[in-house]
Amino acid sequence: MFGTLGALYHDEPGVSYRRTLQHPHGAEAGKLTFGQDSIVGAQLNGRANEQIEAMVQAVSRWRADNNWLPEITWGYLRLNVDDALVVRLGRVGIDAQINSESRLIGYAALAIRPTHELHASITPDYIDGMDLKFSYPLGAAIASAKAFYGITDTEINADGIASKLPRTLSRGLILAVNTESVQGRIYGGVASLRSNGATQQLVDTVRAVPVPAFQDVADALDVRGAKTTFYGADLAYDASPLSLQASIFAQTGEDNELLVPDSLATAYMAGYRLGRFTPYAQYSRLHKDGKAYTGGLGQPLDNIIQAAVDSSQQHQRTRGMGVRVDIARNVALKLQIDRVTARHSPLVTDASRPGSEDIDFTLYGLTLDFTY
Amino acid sequence: MLARAFIRLLLILACGLGAGALHATESLVVIAHPGSHIDSMSRAQVINLFLGRYKKLPSGERAVVLDNIARKELFYQRLVNKTLAEINAYWARLTFSGQTTPPRQEDEMQVLRRVASTPGAVSYVDKRFVDDRVRIVHELTP
C-alpha cells in the first residue's frame, strides 16, 4: 500500500492551479487544497511459479468526473521467460521518461510531484497492451532494452467537463545503462491517434459544410490517423549523499495537423542528503508550440478553432526547492516551494487574464508520503 | 545527584561510542551457496544483485537474494552509501511499478541456513559467523 496526504497553497488572486489535466478543479488563492497532491493506492501480487506472476494495483485520487473512486492503474500477467527476459501483458505503466512508471508513488521520489513540464506530454499513466524487457550485463554495468506497445484512453477535465483525450496507440523502445551510480537512458516512439476525443463535435461541425475550405480545415482538425513521434534522454547520477538528474523530451507532430503541436521539455534536479534531511532544487521548462491557424471560415467558427489551437499549446517553467525528511520507517515528510511561470497552460488559468499573458506565482506544498 | 546524572551520561556516551566503534570495525562478507560456481564477485556485481538490477549470478545460475535484517543498515551503507530510508524509497519505486520485488528478509542464522541449503542463494553476514557451509565471495571492509 502507498499513499500521499498533500496540502497545497498559493496566494495569487484569480489563479487556479491543477497538478494534472485529470483534476476537475484547481487550487485557488488563499485556500488550502488537499485534492491536488493526495493519493492512495493498494497493490496485490501473486505468483503461480517462478515463471508466471500477476499484479493488480488500484489507485484512488481526484478524478476527471469529480470523484475519488478507485481506478485500476496496473493489472498484468508477468512472464519471466528467462531471468534476463520479462514480458508483461495487460495494463502496464508507461516507462518512457525516467521514473514515469512510479510517478504516483510519492514516497519513492525526492520531490513532492513529478515535474509537470517533463511529464505533461505523456499524460496517461498506463497503456493497455504489453511490454518486454531484456537485461544484459555489460562489464560492470547492466544494459537493458525495453519495448512497449499499447492503447491509451485517458479521461481529462477541460473547462469543468470530463472528456476524453484522443485514443492513442503507442509503441516505443527504451535503451538504458545502469552503472553503480549513473543511469543513462534514451528512448523513442510513435503515438498514432485513433479518435478525436473532445474535439469530435468541432470536426463534425466544420465538415458538415460542403465547401472545400471547410473540408481542408476539417482535415487539419481531424487527428484520426495522425502520428506524433517522441524521443528523449535522461541522465541520472546517484552517489549518496548527492543525486543529480537531467532530462530532455521532444515530440513532433505532422505539419498538416492543427491540433498536434511540437513540444520540447527539459528538467533538472539536484539533491543532497544530510542525515534524515534531503534538501533539493529543481528546474523544468516546457515549450509546446501550437500550429498557425489562418482563419477564413468566418465567425464564430474561426474563434472557436483558434481557441482549440491555442489550447494545444503550452509554455511553462517551474523553479522549485524543497526538503524531504524521512521521519520514520517508510514515512517521509516533504515541504516544497515552486515558482511557476505559465502561458497558455491548461493547468494554470486566470479568467481575468488572456491566455497569452504570463502568469507568475508561488506554490507551497506539504506532503506526508508512506508505503507499507 | 548531579554527579550521578553526569556519570550516567558518561556511561551512555561510552556505550554509544563503543557500539559505534564495534560497528566501524565489523567485517561484513557476502556469502554464496558452496555449490555456486563462483569464487568471488566484484562490488559492481554485488550491487547489481542486491539492487535488483540483474537476477543471475556471474556463473549464470539464477540468484536467490536474501537480506540479513540484523546487518542490513550497515550493508547498504557500506555497499552504496545509502541509508535504510533511501533503500526503502528505492524499492518502493521498483515494487509499486511492478519491476521487481525486494530481497527476502531473514535474520542472521536463517540467512546462513538458507544460503547453505539453497543453490544460487546469496546474502551477507558478519564474518565471525561464517563457517564452511557457505562460501565468501566478497568482503565489505569498514
Side-chain angles (χ1 to χ4, degrees), chain A residues 323-338:
Chain A
V323 62
R324 172 187 171 123
V325 188
D326 286 284
I327 56 175
R329 181 182 154 81
N330 292 340
V331 182
L333 187 71
K334 295 176 197 166
L335 174 67
Q336 185 172 314
I337 301 170
D338 291 303

Side-chain angles (χ1 to χ4, degrees), chain A residues 43 50 57 74 76 78 82-83 88 99 101-102 105 107 137 140 142 179-180 238 240 273 326 330, chain B residues 43-44 47-48 53-56 62 80-83 85-86 88-89 92-93 95-99:
Chain A
Q43 180 173 313
E50 291 290 335
Q57 185 186 90
W74 291 79
Y76 65 75
R78 177 185 167 119
D82 173 74
D83 289 328
R88 301 187 299 186
N99 300 336
E101 274 192 321
S102 59
I105 322 297
Y107 181 78
I142 298 294
T179 69
E180 180 183 333
D238 184 6
S240 193
R273 175 174 58 81
D326 286 284
N330 292 340
Chain B
R43 190 160 159 274
I47 290 172
N48 289 336
R53 292 174 180 168
Y54 199 60
K55 294 183 179 296
K56 283 182 179 176
R62 184 188 174 88
V80 286
N81 191 32
K82 285 191 184 296
T83 62
E86 288 176 294
N88 289 343
R93 178 158 59 80
T95 304
F96 293 116
S97 58
Q99 293 183 45

Side-chain angles (χ1 to χ4, degrees), chain A residues 250-263:
Chain A
Q251 190 168 29
T252 56
E254 292 163 310
D255 289 342
N256 58 343
E257 296 291 345
L258 271 178
L259 301 180
V260 184
D262 296 340
S263 66

Side-chain angles (χ1 to χ4, degrees), chain A residues 118-130:
Chain A
L118 182 64
H119 290 265
S121 295
I122 299 183
T123 304
D125 295 312
Y126 51 78
I127 54 171
D128 290 326
M130 63 172 292

Side-chain angles (χ1 to χ4, degrees), chain B residues 69-106:
Chain B
I69 297 165
R71 314 284 164 195
K72 190 174 172 182
E73 185 171 7
L74 181 61
F75 176 72
Y76 286 104
Q77 190 265 319
R78 285 210 186 140
L79 186 67
V80 286
N81 191 32
K82 285 191 184 296
T83 62
L84 272 187
E86 288 176 294
I87 291 297
N88 289 343
Y90 173 83
W91 279 110
R93 178 158 59 80
L94 298 189
T95 304
F96 293 116
S97 58
Q99 293 183 45
T100 186
T101 48
R104 195 166 154 162
Q105 315 290 304
E106 306 270 19

